[in-house]
């Protein structure tokens, strides 16, 4: 009875501990021999020096060499000191045979500090099925006494990985370890230093755990092949949330697995609630086999188009589905299907694209045109209306017909909105940007630049979106480019003459504008909302 009470009381105390404190119990606080060995032989491998000191004994010049790796000091002859052990030469220690860099004591070494970051993995101290990781910053300072140099460790981040849950902890000077709301790089603030991953520690950590079945070796190898920094934390973080990654890789759907591991959107192409592979993918075994055997790049976009083609019974083969998925996404095809047959519409859009040599925007132009037709009450079942011979000309005609007349109420609202977003004005080099001040100005902008900004006047007046005008300072009254910005201060589109894309000069301006104005205004807006 006493034991049962004691057990329940200890459990109660354990549960009442903050989660961050319970998570730190998974870690060994000491630097293990394996970690120390990894730092010496890999992370700071090039932090090995032979310091040459010239001494005068009884009017004879003698040279002493001190190796920072084996801590041995020995005498060398003048030829070795000046030639083989020339300052900054790469050479071998005569005692331990390790490769070192020669440094002559007479030269200053005020900046001789070696720094790096690394991450190492190990098993949890308290749970056999859990693995943990630690990110470190390490340094060696040779600026003072090079015979008394130690390796300084600064722990940056900790990770706890357990199937179904995973955590990242960062250390604060005042509050100790705290949990981050998402997984990110362990070396925030230390990205300028060389970074290393203890791959052998991963193998030791995952042994005899569920993680040994995960495709971790694929992503370790991927980082080596493509030469990008892969500390594997995001892989384990995502794998804990979505163990189905293992089935995807083993069954051949490696691209979908990569999207999950890299934290990229799968565009609603799968059902994350399902654990069965085929229910997760939404296809049967025969369809899965067909896709894998075809050798296509099974991206989420391809996958969505494939399932759409099967659902609508379009009769497309795999190669055609792959080609179309490179040009249209699922949402576009679904929207096309609301108006007419897919195959006919795609043929029409292709012809229009060839006419205007503007394939990238032809379907959006068509959708805008159809929206105008709806506003005007046109019969979209009429093929001549649905598929005009010259889409661009027809679109410009509907724009003129649906342009909003500048009425007093509309202009008053626009005036209020433009005043409220005066903070979005900006000037850089020979380009300026300012809010549109009236519906007439918006209509004129659309007429001069031959695009459909006139349709946005009412939304601008309601504050649903912001319309700003880009001008060349040398020709301030001439329409140049038009910009639509969301209420979250994100750029939606930038359009020039006849819906043309931005020039390199305007692109540079937009990038600077985002950084100097939009990001700052958005941050301030979010802060004000939190206070409110």
């Amino acid at each position: 009875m006493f034991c049962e009470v004691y057990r329940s009381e200890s459990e109660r105390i354990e549960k009442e501990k903050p989660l961050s404190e319970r998570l730190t119990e998974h870690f060994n606080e000491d630097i293990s021999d394996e970690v120390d060995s990894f730092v010496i032989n890999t992370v700071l491998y090039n932090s090995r020096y032979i310091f040459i000191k010239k001494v005068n004994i009884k009017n004879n010049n003698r040279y002493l060499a001190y190796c920072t790796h084996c801590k041995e000091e020995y005498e060398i002859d003048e030829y070795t000191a000046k030639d083989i052990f020339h300052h900054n030469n790469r050479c071998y220690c005569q005692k331990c045979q390790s490769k070192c860099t020669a440094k002559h004591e007479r030269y200053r070494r005020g900046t001789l500090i070696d720094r790096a970051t690394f991450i190492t993995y190990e098993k949890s101290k308290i749970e056999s099925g859990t693995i943990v990781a630690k990110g470190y910053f390490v340094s060696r300072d040779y600026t003072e006494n090079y015979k008394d140099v130690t390796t300084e460790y600064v722990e940056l981040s900790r990770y706890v990985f357990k199937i179904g849950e995973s955590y990242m902890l960062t250390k604060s000077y005042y509050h100790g370890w705290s949990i981050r709301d998402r997984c990110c790089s362990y070396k925030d603030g230390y990205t300028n230093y060389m970074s290393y991953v203890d791959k052998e520690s991963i193998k030791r950590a995952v042994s005899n755990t569920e993680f040994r079945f995960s495709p971790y070796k694929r992503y370790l190898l991927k980082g080596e092949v493509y030469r990008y920094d892969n500390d594997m934390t995001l892989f384990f973080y995502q794998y804990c949330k979505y163990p189905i990654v293992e089935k995807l890789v083993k069954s051949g759907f490696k691209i979908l697995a990569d999207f999950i591991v890299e934290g990229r959107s799968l565009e609603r192409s799968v059902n994350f609630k399902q654990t069965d592979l085929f229910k997760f993918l939404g296809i049967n075994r025969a369809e899965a086999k067909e896709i894998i055997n075809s050798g296509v790049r099974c991206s989420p976009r391809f996958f969505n188009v494939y399932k759409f083609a099967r659902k609508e019974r379009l009769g497309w083969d795999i190669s055609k589905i792959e080609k179309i998925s490179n040009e249209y996404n699922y949402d576009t095809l679904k929207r096309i299907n609301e108006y007419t047959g897919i195959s006919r519409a795609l043929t029409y859009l292709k012809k229009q694209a060839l006419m205007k040599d503007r394939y990238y925007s032809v379907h959006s132009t068509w959708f805008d045109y159809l929206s105008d037709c709806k506003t005007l009450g046109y019969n979209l079942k009429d093929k001549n209306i649905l598929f005009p011979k010259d889409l661009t000309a027809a679109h410009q005609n509907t724009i003129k017909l649906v342009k909003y007349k500048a009425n007093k109420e509309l202009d008053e609202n626009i005036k209020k909105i433009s005043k409220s977003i005066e903070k979005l004005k900006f000037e850089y080099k020979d380009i300026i940007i300012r809010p549109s001040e009236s519906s007439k100005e918006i209509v004129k902008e659309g007429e001069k630049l031959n695009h459909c900004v006139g349709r946005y006047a009412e939304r601008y007046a309601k504050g649903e979106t912001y319309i700003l005008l880009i001008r060349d300072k040398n020709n301030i009254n001439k329409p140049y480019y038009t910009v639509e910005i969301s209420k979250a201060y994100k750029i939606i589109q930038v359009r020039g003459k006849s819906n043309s894309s931005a020039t390199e000069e305007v692109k540079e301006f937009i990038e600077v504008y985002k950084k100097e104005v939009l990001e700052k205004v958005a941050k301030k807006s979010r802060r004000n909302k939190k206070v409110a």
Side-chain angles (χ1 to χ4, degrees):
M1 183 67 182
F2 174 78
C3 294
E4 290 178 6
V5 172
Y6 179 81
R7 190 184 303 115
S8 62
E9 180 66 14
S10 63
E11 289 174 357
R12 183 188 65 78
I13 294 170
E14 184 67 25
K15 287 180 180 179
E16 287 179 355
K17 285 183 182 178
L19 178 57
S20 58
E21 189 177 329
R22 297 204 303 271
L23 291 174
T24 56
E25 293 175 358
H26 287 274
F27 296 86
N28 290 305
E29 298 299 330
D30 298 329
I31 303 295
S32 67
D33 292 340
E34 290 85 356
V35 171
D36 214 30
S37 175
F38 177 66
V39 171
I40 292 169
N41 297 313
T42 303
V43 180
L44 295 178
Y45 177 77
N46 290 321
S47 184
R48 299 179 181 185
Y49 300 97
I50 295 177
F51 285 95
I52 311 302
K53 182 179 180 180
K54 181 180 178 181
V55 294
N56 189 291
I57 301 175
K58 295 181 180 180
N59 296 323
N60 290 323
N61 290 330
R62 296 171 64 185
Y63 296 88
L64 299 177
Y66 176 80
C67 175
T68 61
H69 180 60
C70 65
K71 312 292 185 185
E72 292 286 340
E73 187 172 52
Y74 49 92
E75 188 174 343
I76 55 175
D77 57 40
E78 185 176 0
Y79 168 76
T80 303
K82 292 184 177 180
D83 192 12
I84 299 175
F85 285 3
H86 183 74
H87 186 64
N88 284 336
N89 262 12
R90 294 290 283 170
C91 52
Y92 290 91
C93 173
Q94 293 179 2
K95 293 290 183 179
C96 64
Q97 303 304 315
S98 62
K99 197 170 186 179
C100 304
T101 302
K103 294 285 183 182
H104 283 242
E105 194 184 54
R106 69 178 182 273
Y107 293 107
R108 291 184 178 181
R109 52 181 187 278
T111 58
L112 190 55
I113 304 174
D114 293 323
R115 304 178 180 94
T117 60
F118 74 96
I119 190 165
T120 183
Y121 290 74
E122 60 187 11
K123 294 182 186 296
S124 164
K125 190 171 71 171
I126 59 174
E127 289 183 5
S128 58
T130 301
I131 65 173
V132 297
K134 289 181 180 180
Y136 289 96
F137 170 73
V138 288
S139 63
R140 285 182 186 164
D141 187 347
Y142 295 93
T143 58
E144 298 295 334
N145 183 5
Y146 56 78
K147 291 185 178 181
D148 187 28
V149 174
T150 57
T151 304
E152 299 294 332
Y153 290 84
V154 177
E155 200 174 342
L156 304 176
S157 302
R158 289 181 172 185
Y159 301 84
V160 178
F161 301 114
K162 182 180 179 181
I163 300 299
E165 56 182 314
S166 51
Y167 303 92
M168 177 184 179
L169 299 96
T170 52
K171 197 169 189 177
S172 164
Y173 181 81
Y174 295 103
H175 305 292
W177 292 103
S178 59
I179 301 172
R180 291 287 292 264
D181 56 353
R182 61 186 179 87
C183 178
C184 58
S185 173
Y186 71 92
K187 55 184 187 296
D188 280 353
Y190 294 82
T191 53
N192 292 332
Y193 303 109
M194 287 291 292
S195 59
Y196 300 84
V197 181
D198 189 351
K199 296 171 186 175
E200 291 302 316
S201 74
I202 296 177
K203 295 174 184 177
R204 291 194 299 268
V206 302
S207 64
N208 300 321
T209 69
E210 291 182 67
F211 292 100
R212 70 184 185 277
F213 303 114
S214 71
Y216 72 93
K217 291 181 181 178
R218 164 181 164 77
Y219 294 96
L220 268 177
L221 181 62
K222 196 175 179 184
E224 292 174 3
V225 171
Y226 295 104
R227 297 182 181 276
Y228 66 86
D229 187 14
N230 180 18
D231 58 34
M232 292 298 288
T233 53
L234 186 57
F235 166 77
F236 285 113
Y237 187 86
Q238 292 294 88
Y239 182 77
C240 288
K241 289 175 69 177
Y242 311 111
I244 202 162
V245 164
E246 176 195 336
K247 294 179 182 178
L248 288 171
V249 170
K250 289 178 179 177
S251 60
F253 293 98
K254 296 177 181 178
I255 302 298
L256 293 179
D258 290 348
F259 270 67
I260 294 174
V261 168
E262 293 164 12
R264 297 161 66 187
S265 170
L266 268 72
E267 302 174 17
R268 308 185 304 279
S269 62
V270 297
N271 185 352
F272 279 106
K273 293 181 179 179
Q274 299 294 336
T275 55
D276 177 79
L277 177 65
F278 301 111
K279 289 180 180 179
F280 175 84
L281 296 172
I283 57 176
N284 59 41
R285 190 179 296 272
E287 289 171 333
K289 188 176 181 180
E290 178 189 27
I291 293 170
I292 296 303
N293 290 341
S294 68
V296 299
R297 185 179 183 276
C298 187
S299 65
R301 188 164 176 167
F302 165 85
F303 211 64
N304 269 331
V305 174
Y306 175 86
K307 291 195 282 188
F308 176 81
R310 291 292 182 268
K311 181 182 177 182
E312 298 298 327
R313 299 180 180 178
L314 298 175
W316 296 345
D317 59 23
I318 293 288
S319 59
K320 186 171 183 179
I321 291 173
E322 183 182 29
K323 185 178 179 181
I324 289 173
S325 69
N326 291 332
E327 300 165 357
Y328 300 94
N329 60 29
Y330 168 75
D331 291 331
T332 301
L333 294 175
K334 188 178 178 182
R335 195 172 174 189
I336 289 172
N337 203 37
E338 293 173 0
Y339 292 104
T340 184
I342 294 291
S343 297
R344 183 168 186 178
L346 295 185
T347 303
Y348 169 75
L349 291 172
K350 188 173 183 179
K351 287 181 180 178
Q352 291 296 319
L354 292 172
M355 282 175 59
K356 299 296 178 183
D357 192 26
R358 200 178 297 150
Y359 192 82
Y360 64 90
S361 65
V362 68
H363 65 270
S364 62
T365 302
W366 188 53
F367 287 142
D368 285 345
Y369 163 77
L370 294 177
S371 179
D372 290 345
C373 289
K374 280 184 177 181
T375 302
L376 296 168
Y378 290 173
N379 180 15
L380 291 177
K381 291 184 179 179
D382 186 333
K383 294 176 183 177
N384 292 323
I385 294 175
L386 189 61
F387 301 117
K389 288 184 179 180
D390 188 335
L391 176 59
T392 304
H395 184 215
Q396 292 305 314
N397 185 51
T398 57
I399 289 170
K400 292 176 183 178
L401 294 173
V402 298
K403 277 178 183 174
Y404 297 100
K405 294 181 180 179
N407 56 55
K408 189 175 181 180
E409 184 182 354
L410 194 67
D411 276 341
E412 283 178 357
N413 290 339
I414 287 177
K415 197 170 183 180
K416 288 178 184 177
I417 293 293
S418 66
K419 283 184 178 180
S420 70
I421 58 171
E422 284 281 319
K423 57 197 172 188
L424 298 185
K425 280 185 176 180
F426 183 63
E427 183 176 324
Y428 177 72
K429 292 186 178 178
D430 291 331
I431 300 177
I432 63 171
I433 187 170
R434 64 170 177 82
S436 178
E437 296 173 351
S438 70
S439 60
K440 283 184 179 179
E441 191 173 47
I442 295 175
V443 170
K444 183 181 177 183
E445 186 86 359
E447 288 176 349
K448 295 293 183 181
L449 294 180
N450 201 29
H451 58 44
C452 57
V453 71
R455 294 174 56 247
Y456 294 82
E458 188 173 343
R459 291 186 61 212
Y460 179 40
K462 291 178 180 178
E464 295 174 359
T465 192
Y466 300 138
I467 303 298
L468 285 88
L469 313 178
I470 291 179
R471 295 288 185 262
D472 189 323
K473 285 171 64 177
N474 299 319
N475 200 346
I476 200 72
N477 294 319
K478 183 180 179 182
Y480 188 28
Y481 276 86
T482 315
V483 182
E484 182 186 3
I485 297 176
S486 72
K487 291 179 72 177
Y489 303 104
K490 299 283 186 183
I491 289 181
I492 299 173
Q493 55 181 326
V494 180
R495 292 283 182 249
K497 183 79 171 177
S498 300
N499 277 322
S500 62
S501 299
T503 61
E504 291 302 317
E505 182 186 18
V506 174
K507 283 180 181 177
E508 180 189 353
F509 172 81
I510 290 296
E511 289 304 314
V512 175
Y513 182 57
K514 284 180 185 176
K515 185 176 180 181
E516 296 296 326
V517 178
L518 295 184
E519 290 180 5
K520 293 179 181 178
V521 172
K523 188 176 181 179
K524 187 175 180 181
S525 176
R526 288 193 299 270
R527 195 185 302 124
N528 291 339
K529 284 181 180 178
K530 285 181 180 179
V531 171

